[in-house]
Amino acid sequence: MGWTMRLVMAPLFLGLTMVVTGNLEDNDSCVYEALSDTDAVLCKGLEVFYPELGNIGCMYIPDCNDYRQKITRWSQPTVKFSGALEDATYILVMVDPDAPSKSFPKARFWRHWLVTNIKGTDMKKGKIKGQELSSYQPPSPPAQSGFHRYQFFVYLQERKNISLLHKENKTRASWKMDRFLNRLRLREPEASTQFMTQNYQDSPDFQDPGRESSKPKSRLKQ
C-alpha cells in the first residue's frame, strides 16, 4: 500500500476546538475545529487560504456564516509553501479521497486540481502559476455523505513534460493517484495539508427556505 493510500485510510476523529468571534453586528461566533492528531499527520508545511476563512489547513470548515456553501463557489485558494526552493519547480495536487462518501469511496481519488511547472518563487508566495492539467474544481460534497477530506500535496518536479494519460483525462473520478506518482517517480511530498467539510444542507441549523412557513404571503405582480 502506497504512502498516499495509508494516509487516506486514517480514521476521522473530532479535533480540538477554538472559538473565534464572528461578525460583531450579529454577535455570532464561529467554531473552528482542528483536525485530530491522526489526520494532522498530513499537515506538513503547506498553507491554504480561502476568502474570509484565512488559512484553513488542518481544520474543519466552520459551520457558520454560510462558509460551507460559500466554499463551493469560491475560486481557487491561495496555496503557499514557504519552504519552496526558489530555483526548483513543483507540482500541486488537490484530491478528495472520500468521493462519493467516506463509507463508500468508490470514486477515490476525485481530482480537484492538478498544476505542474510551478516555479519555486511563486510557490513561496502562494501564486499558483503553471500548466493546469486539471482546472480547479471547488469542494462540493454531496448531501448526506458526511465529512470529506480535501487534500493538497506539493511534489518536487524533475521532469519537464508532464501530462495525464488519455483515460485519466476522461474523468476526474476514480483517479489512480498512486499510479500517476509512480509513473513520474514521485515519492514523499515536499509539503501537504488537508481540511474537512460537509454539505451545508447537513448542518443541524440548516433551514430549507421552501419549508419555512406555510402561511400565505402577499405577492407583488411582476
Side-chain angles (χ1 to χ4, degrees):
M1 184 180 292
W3 179 87
T4 309
M5 290 299 294
R6 291 200 302 271
L7 285 174
V8 299
M9 295 302 291
L12 181 143
F13 295 102
L14 291 179
L16 302 174
T17 301
M18 294 188 299
V19 178
V20 179
T21 303
N23 191 324
L24 295 178
E25 293 181 358
D26 54 20
N27 292 322
D28 285 342
S29 62
C30 262
V31 178
Y32 283 68
E33 283 188 88
L35 301 186
S36 70
D37 290 343
T38 303
D39 288 307
V41 298
L42 202 66
C43 304
K44 301 189 301 181
L46 199 60
E47 298 174 290
V48 176
F49 297 85
Y50 279 96
E52 302 180 34
L53 288 170
N55 179 19
I56 202 63
C58 245
M59 306 291 291
Y60 288 87
I61 300 300
D63 187 16
C64 57
N65 297 336
D66 295 324
Y67 287 148
R68 292 180 181 175
Q69 184 175 16
K70 288 178 179 178
I71 200 170
T72 66
R73 302 192 300 261
W74 282 331
S75 57
Q76 66 187 54
T78 296
V79 182
K80 182 184 296 185
F81 175 31
S82 59
L85 302 175
E86 294 188 357
D87 59 348
T89 305
Y90 294 91
I91 301 170
L92 172 65
V93 179
M94 176 187 174
V95 291
D96 173 7
D98 301 322
S101 69
K102 189 173 186 295
S103 60
F104 188 52
K106 64 177 182 179
R108 170 189 295 169
F109 292 83
W110 190 282
R111 192 173 65 251
H112 278 264
W113 201 13
L114 177 58
V115 187
T116 64
N117 300 328
I118 306 170
K119 295 180 180 179
T121 51
D122 289 333
M123 195 84 249
K124 288 175 71 72
K125 299 175 183 177
K127 297 179 179 180
I128 304 304
K129 299 177 181 179
Q131 181 182 3
E132 279 195 333
L133 301 185
S134 295
S135 60
Y136 177 73
Q137 185 180 74
S140 301
Q144 300 180 355
S145 66
F147 279 94
H148 287 233
R149 292 165 288 178
Y150 292 92
Q151 302 178 331
F152 296 76
F153 302 93
V154 170
Y155 295 92
L156 186 64
Q157 180 178 333
E158 296 183 356
R159 298 187 183 185
K160 290 184 178 181
N161 298 318
I162 294 177
S163 61
L164 290 170
L165 299 178
H166 177 68
K167 61 181 179 181
E168 290 177 303
N169 262 322
K170 288 184 177 181
T171 178
R172 293 174 182 256
S174 303
W175 185 41
K176 307 302 181 184
M177 184 174 169
D178 275 357
R179 294 184 184 178
F180 173 81
L181 297 176
N182 289 335
R183 190 166 75 241
L184 299 177
R185 296 182 180 178
L186 300 173
R187 300 294 184 258
E188 298 284 331
E190 298 296 306
S192 58
T193 194
Q194 66 177 338
F195 65 79
M196 297 190 190
T197 191
Q198 65 178 352
N199 190 288
Y200 69 96
Q201 297 182 62
D202 294 340
S203 166
D205 298 325
F206 174 72
Q207 295 182 352
D208 187 345
R211 301 175 60 184
E212 282 183 351
S213 176
S214 59
K215 294 182 180 180
K217 299 180 180 179
S218 61
R219 297 182 179 179
L220 298 176
K221 292 183 180 181
Q222 298 295 322

